[in-house]
Amino acid sequence: MEYVFTLKYQLADSDSDLDALVERLGAAGCDDALVGVGQPGRLALEFSREAGSAAEAVHSALVDVKKAIPSARLIEASPDLVGLTDVADVVGVSRQAMRKLMLTHRATFPVPVHEGSASIWHLAEVLDWLMTRGGYQIDVGVLEIAKVALEVNIAKEAIRHPVRSREEMELLTA
C-alpha cells in the first residue's frame, strides 16, 4: 500500500547546501519524497512510500533520512496535529459540521492537545472517534499513518522531555 506522510526536520548550520542535501537524500533512498525548504534551517519531506504497513513506511523513511543527514533533528511527523478544518477536509465534511459535532459531543469528543482560539487535536484520535460513531468515510490508510505519526511524535517528545518520577506519571494519567 502507498502511504503519504510528512517528516519535518531542523538542519544543522553545516547542512545549508540544498542541492547536496537533495543528492544525499536521493542516494539514501528518499527518492519518493518531495523536498520542501522554506524557512532557513528547516526541511520538510513529503513521502509517498510503498510499504506493507504505515509503521514500516515511516520507520524506513526515518532511517533513510538519518542515513542521508545524520545531524538532522526531527521536528514533527504528520499527519498528526490538526485543527477542525483539517479534520473536516480529511473526512469530507464542512468545518461547521465538524465544529457542531465537537460542541454537541463535548463529553466524548477527543480532548484537544491545545485548547484556545485555535484548538489542536491528534488526527488519529478524532478519526477513531468518528469511526465509532459511524456514518463517515474514513480512509483506513490515513488513519493508520495518523496513528504512526502520533506514536513517532510522542516518542520524540518523551526523549526531549522525560518524566522524572512515577508520581509525575500518576498525575498525568489520573
Side-chain angles (χ1 to χ4, degrees):
M1 181 171 189
E2 184 176 76
Y3 295 95
V4 177
F5 56 96
T6 302
L7 300 176
K8 298 176 187 172
Y9 287 91
Q10 177 182 2
L11 299 173
D13 289 339
S14 59
D15 289 322
S16 60
D17 183 349
L18 298 177
D19 291 333
L21 286 178
V22 170
E23 190 81 22
R24 287 170 27 206
L25 286 163
C30 298
D31 53 350
D32 56 350
L34 179 62
V35 179
V37 290
Q39 187 179 0
R42 298 289 194 261
L43 178 71
L45 300 165
E46 183 179 303
F47 285 89
S48 195
R49 186 159 281 205
E50 286 286 333
S53 69
E56 181 185 316
V58 173
H59 177 74
S60 65
L62 288 166
V63 168
D64 291 347
V65 173
K66 196 63 162 171
K67 195 177 355 172
I69 314 169
S71 61
R73 291 181 53 202
L74 183 66
I75 295 171
E76 177 187 5
S78 65
D80 180 19
L81 302 172
V82 294
L84 288 179
T85 302
D86 302 315
V87 177
D89 289 344
V90 169
V91 178
V93 300
S94 70
R95 183 200 183 287
Q96 293 80 3
M98 189 56 58
R99 180 169 165 69
K100 184 177 179 183
L101 269 174
M102 185 262 303
L103 292 173
T104 52
H105 300 284
R106 283 197 180 275
T108 61
F109 196 83
V111 176
V113 174
H114 168 78
E115 190 167 62
S117 60
S119 296
I120 299 170
W121 288 264
H122 289 293
L123 178 60
E125 292 176 351
V126 178
L127 292 179
D128 270 339
W129 183 83
L130 288 168
M131 281 187 73
T132 62
R133 294 192 47 76
Y136 296 94
Q137 288 293 99
I138 308 296
D139 182 323
V140 178
V142 172
L143 176 57
E144 191 181 344
I145 204 73
K147 286 180 177 183
V148 173
L150 169 59
E151 291 170 2
V152 167
N153 290 330
I154 288 172
K156 173 189 62 75
E157 287 303 311
I159 292 166
R160 282 184 58 203
H161 307 286
V163 175
R164 291 179 292 283
S165 70
R166 182 175 188 85
E167 291 79 25
E168 284 178 317
M169 278 301 290
E170 288 172 3
L171 287 173
L172 294 172
T173 60

